[in-house]
């Protein structure tokens, strides 16, 4: 739906300017404004995502995980300073750059912290979402911090801290 695409594009435009945030280049459609097919164009990261990197190894050593966590936290501070709540921080949304740094991507459910109606929506990936987000009671950036903590746990242990079938 075009409205969802436009909402994501709005957030992407606001989020540009940090090396830890995926570079957004633009969008196009196969037709007019009411097109059913939209394509968003981003920087390309040939090294996959953090999930793939974790899955290929036996977890990361602290010395390897800390710089990646630092990349993520710096990107989140940048976003939060712009009132953007990512809402889906997870290894699959951290792309690996050529220099080995992690780059935050997938702003499909991101919103502005001022959008109180959107904050009440249950969102995020269950295994990485803060309890407040799963209860529709999110009021701030706590969900991004919680997701970053789960990402760190996954990097170090190569497992999930919670069983989260639902």
């Amino acid at each position: 739906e075009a409205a969802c695409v436009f909402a994501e594009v709005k957030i992407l435009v606001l989020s540009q300017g940090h090396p830890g945030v995926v570079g957004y280049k633009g969008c196009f459609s196969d037709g007019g404004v009411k097109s059913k097919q939209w394509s968003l164009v981003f920087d390309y990261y040939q090294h996959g995502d953090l999930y793939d990197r974790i899955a290929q190894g036996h977890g990361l050593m602290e010395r390897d995980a800390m710089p990646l966590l630092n990349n993520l936290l710096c990107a989140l501070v940048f976003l939060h300073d712009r009132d953007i709540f990512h809402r889906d921080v997870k290894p699959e949304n951290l792309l690996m750059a050529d220099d080995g740094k992690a780059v935050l991507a997938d702003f499909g459910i991101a919103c502005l912290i001022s959008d109180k109606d959107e904050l009440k929506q249950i969102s995020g990936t269950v295994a990485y979402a803060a309890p407040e987000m799963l209860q529709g009671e999110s009021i701030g950036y706590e969900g991004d911090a919680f997701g970053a903590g789960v990402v760190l746990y996954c990097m170090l242990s190569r497992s999930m801290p919670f069983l989260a079938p639902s």
Side-chain angles (χ1 to χ4, degrees):
E1 181 175 309
C4 292
V5 172
F6 296 148
E8 183 172 358
V9 166
K10 175 184 174 182
I11 297 293
L12 284 165
V13 169
L14 292 171
S15 70
Q16 294 304 285
H18 190 277
V21 174
V22 68
Y24 169 69
K25 301 303 181 191
C27 69
F28 60 92
S29 72
D30 63 359
V33 173
K34 294 187 179 188
S35 169
K36 293 187 188 274
Q37 183 67 40
W38 285 88
S39 297
L40 303 180
V41 182
F42 300 96
D43 286 340
Y44 175 66
Y45 296 90
Q46 64 183 351
H47 302 291
D49 60 38
L50 181 58
Y51 179 85
D52 292 336
R53 183 170 174 190
I54 294 168
Q56 291 170 357
H58 300 286
L60 301 174
M61 299 300 295
E62 285 182 37
R63 69 178 176 270
D64 301 316
M66 290 292 96
L68 295 171
L69 181 66
N70 186 58
N71 296 149
L72 172 57
L73 294 176
C74 288
L76 289 173
V77 166
F78 178 85
L79 294 174
H80 296 170
D81 284 347
R82 283 154 184 75
D83 298 327
I84 299 169
F85 182 12
H86 186 275
R87 301 199 304 172
D88 202 17
V89 176
K90 60 184 180 180
E92 294 91 329
N93 289 340
L94 289 164
L95 304 177
M96 301 307 299
D98 289 340
D99 61 5
K101 294 183 178 178
V103 177
L104 188 59
D106 192 353
F107 287 75
I109 62 171
C111 70
L112 295 175
I113 201 70
S114 59
D115 189 345
K116 301 305 180 192
D117 291 334
E118 187 62 30
L119 289 177
K120 293 178 186 174
Q121 300 298 315
I122 296 173
S123 66
T125 303
V126 172
Y128 302 94
E132 301 85 18
M133 293 171 61
L134 297 175
Q135 294 170 341
E137 299 172 359
S138 183
I139 58 169
Y141 303 115
E142 67 280 335
D144 287 346
F146 188 93
V150 176
V151 167
L152 176 61
Y153 186 93
C154 292
M155 284 192 289
L156 296 175
S157 70
R158 204 173 157 230
S159 65
M160 297 298 296
F162 312 106
L163 295 176
S166 63

